[in-house]
Amino acid sequence: MTFITFEGIEGSGKTTQIRLLMDWFKARDIRALLTREPGGTSIGEQVRAILLNPINTEMTPEAEILLFSAARAQIVREIIRPRLADGWIVVCDRFADSTLAYQGYGHGLPMDDLMRITEFATGGLWPDLTVYLDLDVETGLRRKAATPEEWNRMEAKEVAFHKRVRQGYQALAAQAPGRWLVVDAAQPVAAIQEQIRARVKKEIRK
Ligand code: TMP
């Protein structure tokens, strides 16, 4: 029914906001499934382990996008499409826009190649709503540094990489304002959640 994705740089607070939104669905008896990318399926979680393992320093950007896309091809067909067809709301922590922002703007891979690979992986599925939590890179990375045991291969990239990713998200949101909700993630948790719920309410009434 409604496909909602969350996007943002590291430390932007996606996890907290998604959890609060899932609580809200639960309290209203709305059938909603939470999943994440890369991962969300047995195959996807195995691919995630390869992608995020800090030991894999030699991974090329081209190999990286194909692995992210492989995990995506699996989750779309195994989980997302069937649940949407059954009338569920599906919430995904990251989706194809992460590829455009990280592999496209971050690594500078050609956008037309990324779009072709992504369309193939998703079978043309795009979110109805994408919530983007916008935060400056220094604050995001500082928040993440508080939990170094969760530090992954992507997060270990240089600050300039994350700055390009943020600019990429802002550009993507500006290109499709109807699909994106941009929220200032420096606000208090409750204020952010309020804006998300207001927009989700409109989306699920459609
Ligand atoms: P996270 O979901 O725990 O934040 O970690 C996933 C990391 O993978 C994060 O740094 C963003 C990155 N990523 C990409 O680079 N491309 C993608 O397509 C996806 C889904 C994630």
Side-chain angles (χ1 to χ4, degrees):
M1 203 181 72
T2 308
F3 181 29
I4 302 171
T5 59
F6 276 73
E7 298 285 352
I9 59 156
E10 327 300 322
S12 59
K14 284 185 291 108
T15 311
T16 305
Q17 294 298 332
I18 291 173
R19 190 174 39 76
L20 292 170
L21 183 62
M22 296 308 291
D23 290 347
W24 186 75
F25 285 138
K26 197 165 180 212
R28 274 154 195 77
D29 279 334
I30 296 172
R31 291 190 306 169
L33 175 83
L34 170 61
T35 187
R36 71 165 177 181
E37 272 223 59
T41 64
S42 166
I43 289 170
E45 291 294 332
Q46 293 171 63
V47 174
R48 180 183 177 92
I50 300 170
L51 275 165
L52 301 186
N53 191 337
I55 220 171
N56 289 330
T57 49
E58 70 275 35
M59 190 183 297
T60 68
E62 291 80 4
E64 191 176 286
I65 196 240
L66 291 169
L67 285 170
F68 277 119
S69 300
R72 181 162 306 133
Q74 190 66 31
I75 199 178
V76 164
R77 289 158 186 85
E78 190 180 323
I79 309 276
I80 301 177
R81 277 206 189 278
R83 286 299 176 113
L84 290 172
D86 278 348
W88 286 58
I89 291 175
V90 176
V91 177
C92 199
D93 184 349
R94 297 194 181 280
F95 192 63
D97 296 299
S98 281
T99 291
L100 302 180
Y102 282 78
Q103 280 66 51
Y105 289 86
H107 284 314
L109 288 181
M111 266 309 166
D112 49 348
D113 286 345
L114 293 190
M115 282 302 287
R116 264 204 314 278
I117 295 167
T118 298
E119 287 278 346
F120 179 70
T122 62
L125 178 72
W126 286 91
D128 300 294
L129 169 65
T130 297
V131 177
Y132 167 51
L133 300 176
D134 185 51
L135 188 66
D136 71 88
V137 169
E138 285 79 7
T139 309
L141 292 180
R142 211 179 313 119
R143 283 189 194 167
K144 268 281 165 171
T147 52
E149 66 282 3
E150 291 174 15
W151 205 246
N152 68 43
R153 194 182 59 85
M154 298 302 296
E155 286 154 2
K157 293 191 186 303
E158 77 277 25
V159 171
F161 175 87
H162 294 283
K163 288 196 168 163
R164 290 195 297 277
V165 171
R166 183 188 186 200
Q167 284 164 1
Y169 274 130
Q170 291 171 338
L172 291 168
Q175 284 160 26
R179 169 164 74 86
W180 290 71
L181 171 70
V182 179
V183 185
D184 174 3
Q187 299 175 90
V189 169
I192 296 172
Q193 182 63 201
E194 206 176 296
Q195 289 159 53
I196 296 172
R197 287 180 187 177
R199 177 58 187 270
V200 166
K201 260 190 223 165
K202 279 193 206 152
E203 202 57 47
I204 59 184
R205 263 195 234 114
K206 276 185 188 168

